[in-house]
Amino acid sequence: PGIVARVLPGAPAEVRVHHLAQRGVFVSAGAACQSHARELSPGLRAIGLDDETIRRVLRLSLGATTTAEAVDRAAQALLEVSCELERAAS
């Protein structure tokens, strides 16, 4: 119940992972079962996602100690990164 996976438009999730890490926000790309694999997740493929969509899946994990402040910081960082990547692509 504490994991959120979202398909985000634009840049691949792996790019966002690196930009967010630079801001102290640690997230993952793709499915947890494939976190150390080079190939795309068969689980995400099984739910009907194509390869391009799978590459844009960003996974956020929340735990019992995750505060509302931490969620707000992560959301703000994600918004900033998304805007930066969109401007860079234009």
Side-chain angles (χ1 to χ4, degrees):
I3 298 175
V4 177
R6 298 294 303 173
V7 176
L8 300 174
E14 196 62 43
V15 172
R16 291 178 204 275
V17 168
H18 294 293
H19 283 270
L20 288 166
Q22 292 173 344
R23 289 172 165 78
V25 176
F26 300 97
V27 298
S28 302
C33 62
Q34 292 297 111
S35 62
H36 298 293
R38 290 263 207 228
E39 65 270 359
L40 297 176
S41 166
L44 293 175
R45 206 173 264 132
I47 63 169
L49 300 183
D50 60 48
D51 289 359
E52 186 59 33
T53 302
I54 292 170
R55 287 184 185 93
R56 292 185 291 113
V57 173
L58 190 72
R59 192 175 76 253
L60 301 97
S61 299
L62 308 171
T65 60
T66 304
T67 64
E69 180 183 271
V71 172
D72 288 344
R73 273 195 325 267
Q76 183 62 39
L78 182 56
L79 179 61
E80 291 170 5
V81 166
S82 295
C83 289
E84 288 173 13
L85 292 173
E86 188 175 317
R87 278 193 302 272
S90 303

